[in-house]
Amino acid sequence: MLEQQLVNGLMLGGIYVLVAVAFTLTIGILNFLNFSIPGVFMLSGIFTWVLLKAGVYWPLAILGAIFVGAAASLLVERCTYSWMRSSDHYVPLVSSMGFLILFENLVLVQWGSDLQRVVLPFSDLNLRFASLVISIPQLLSLVLAICLVVGLRILLQRTQMGRALRAVAENATTAEILGVVVSRLVPTVFIIGGLFAALGGMLFALNYQQVHPFMGEEVALKGISAMVIGGMGNVWGSVLGGLLIGVIEVLSIHFFNADFVDFSVYGLLLVILFLKPTGLLGASGIVREKF
Amino acid sequence: MSGYVEGILVILLLNVVFAYAVYWPLAAGQLNLGVAGFVGVGAYLSAYLSNEYGISPYLACIGGGLVTFVFALIIAVPVLRTKGIYLALATFALGQVLQSLFLNLEVVGGAAGYPVIAYIGLTGIAVIAVAVFLVTAFLERTRFGLNMVAVHDDEAVSDLFGVNVRRYQALAFAIGAGFAGIGGGLYGHHFSYIEPQNYSILFSISVVLFVLLGGTQTVLGPLLGAVFFTLLPEVLRGSEEWRYAIFAVFIIVTMILRPQGLVTTFELRAVRRLFGGGGGGGGSGLGRRAHG
């Protein structure tokens, strides 16, 4: 059933979109590949499971999980960005990788490495169009992802804060001279990015009903690929890239086998990097200039 | 020597080889996140050579390393068209593609893994690891090493002074890959079994992490990083489940307090002064690299 696979691919892509947007925000505005995002994604997924298991009313549980993710992202900002400006470009990358390992192993110590089943508080509902089956939570997460991206675009283009963020992306020093309080904006970027990643992790836990300490890695690697394929720092590029990768992944399994997924996804990434490093929709000006 | 100590020494020496595989590109300003892929190429090639053609395992390892070197030299042409974060991402993608290639190559067992018949013990690994270190330390002291540092510090100026920037970048990338290939061969022949899961991005990331922890300004940095990375978990063995968390905290704190790594030119110069070498050691390869 090809149509069904395409639908599944788009739904999976919705999760990648959220993670890719989280990556593209820090790289577009702060010029920093934030490797702690898989950790934030995982923390939120794990906390969704923990809170639901503890019997917390489900809307509170998902809010709590997202809060934990955003807080973790803020912690990363406190310990990396303040020290990164004067050093080599890979130093913040390295300390954010340190945070990924830290988060994963703290969860490992606390809850073990087993795959945990998330029991949903509501019965799984499916929509049926002719022979197509669409799960409502998955559809909601795709719609939510697109809405949030539209919201983010409006925030960046129309508001005072968005103007300040774009100024920082253009040139942090000049923005500071012109009166933008950079030290107050940077945490905002991390919190917004953390919210996107945390939302992705929470939705992943609800949609696929399983969590474990390393669940963030594979999703985040695909998210990074989605970001590059669409165009680094370009929010709509992340949407296109995320959906594209979701579909490619599902089609690779459909036509070949599961072992073939990485080959096609990362092969595409490699080809894009060789032929058009700015991605399908073009990277934002800041990234293009600096690299 | 007890089996425990021998086991740790083997891992330590292999980590030293992998450390220099990452150090070479870094010394020319390239962050290689795909080193696991090259390790895998060397491992599979050398295992295939010694299994199918009965070649001596040492020759197979060196041969595997050489082929990996040539392969990297060719792949460097498109890879090095990218710079900075794009280069890191291109090497990451390359590593992932190589890993999935191993997974789909039925000749060498695919997902089931590939047993290696011939065996290389501690002594053999030690000899090759020391050789890798000495080759690196020697090349650093030559004009070749000087040009490499120049390319790392400022591409445009090196170009103006007549250094062929592209050639040095490609060579640094390929030498690193060659070492990775040799290390992969040694790993396979020691542990008698290789499988695609060994060559994941996490392997690449941890090597990059401990090399940067040690510092890339001097040739001793990666060595220290490898020693540290191998022995710290053993020292922390009492707190078994906490060891990786502690390692992570260590990385974060190091990057805050000493982003240039544990060993830098400054320490080496201080040590030399202490032993009466004075400032006269300016021509020495160690401690020459400027910061950044």
Side-chain angles (χ1 to χ4, degrees), chain B residues 76-102:
Chain B
V77 176
V79 165
L80 291 178
R81 286 183 56 201
T82 58
K83 285 204 186 336
I85 196 74
Y86 284 101
L87 174 67
L89 289 169
T91 53
F92 151 71
L94 181 66
Q96 296 290 95
V97 168
L98 286 173
Q99 191 195 6
S100 54
L101 211 61
F102 308 143

Side-chain angles (χ1 to χ4, degrees), chain B residues 242-255:
Chain B
W242 285 95
R243 52 199 204 153
Y244 283 103
I246 293 171
F247 175 66
V249 170
F250 205 85
I251 289 168
I252 295 163
V253 173
T254 309
M255 285 300 132

Side-chain angles (χ1 to χ4, degrees), chain A residues 79 83 88 90 93-94 97-98 101-102 105 109 217 221 224 228 232 259 263 266-267 270 273-274 277 287 291, chain B residues 31 81-82 85-86 89-90 92-93 96-97 100-101 103-104 201-202 205 209 212 241-242 244-245 248-249 256 292:
Chain A
C79 299
W83 284 272
D88 264 349
Y90 49 73
L93 176 86
V94 169
M97 282 174 181
I101 299 178
L102 180 65
N105 283 282
V109 168
E217 285 166 6
L221 296 179
I224 292 178
V228 180
M232 261 199 245
D259 290 340
F263 190 77
Y266 299 112
L270 203 56
L273 278 169
F274 288 166
V287 184
F291 296 104
Chain B
L31 181 62
R81 286 183 56 201
T82 58
I85 196 74
Y86 284 101
L89 289 169
F92 151 71
Q96 296 290 95
V97 168
S100 54
L101 211 61
L103 200 60
N104 288 296
I201 174 75
L202 289 174
I205 286 182
L209 283 183
L212 289 173
E241 47 182 8
W242 285 95
Y244 283 103
V249 170
I256 290 174

Side-chain angles (χ1 to χ4, degrees), chain A residues 66-142:
Chain A
I66 292 174
F67 176 78
V68 169
S73 189
L74 190 62
L75 176 73
V76 175
E77 189 272 336
R78 294 283 92 179
C79 299
T80 55
Y81 187 78
S82 324
W83 284 272
M84 71 177 270
R85 286 202 184 168
S86 54
S87 32
D88 264 349
H89 72 94
Y90 49 73
V91 167
L93 176 86
V94 169
S95 42
S96 68
M97 282 174 181
F99 269 103
L100 171 61
I101 299 178
L102 180 65
F103 290 154
E104 286 179 344
N105 283 282
L106 287 180
V107 169
L108 193 71
V109 168
Q110 184 63 33
W111 290 291
S113 62
D114 296 340
L115 197 76
Q116 307 285 0
R117 256 197 90 69
V118 179
V119 182
L120 290 186
F122 31 81
S123 56
D124 196 55
L125 298 168
N126 287 328
L127 285 180
R128 276 163 219 284
F129 295 109
S131 58
L132 283 185
V133 183
I134 300 176
S135 110
I136 291 179
Q138 290 197 355
L139 184 65
L140 276 179
S141 48
L142 179 62

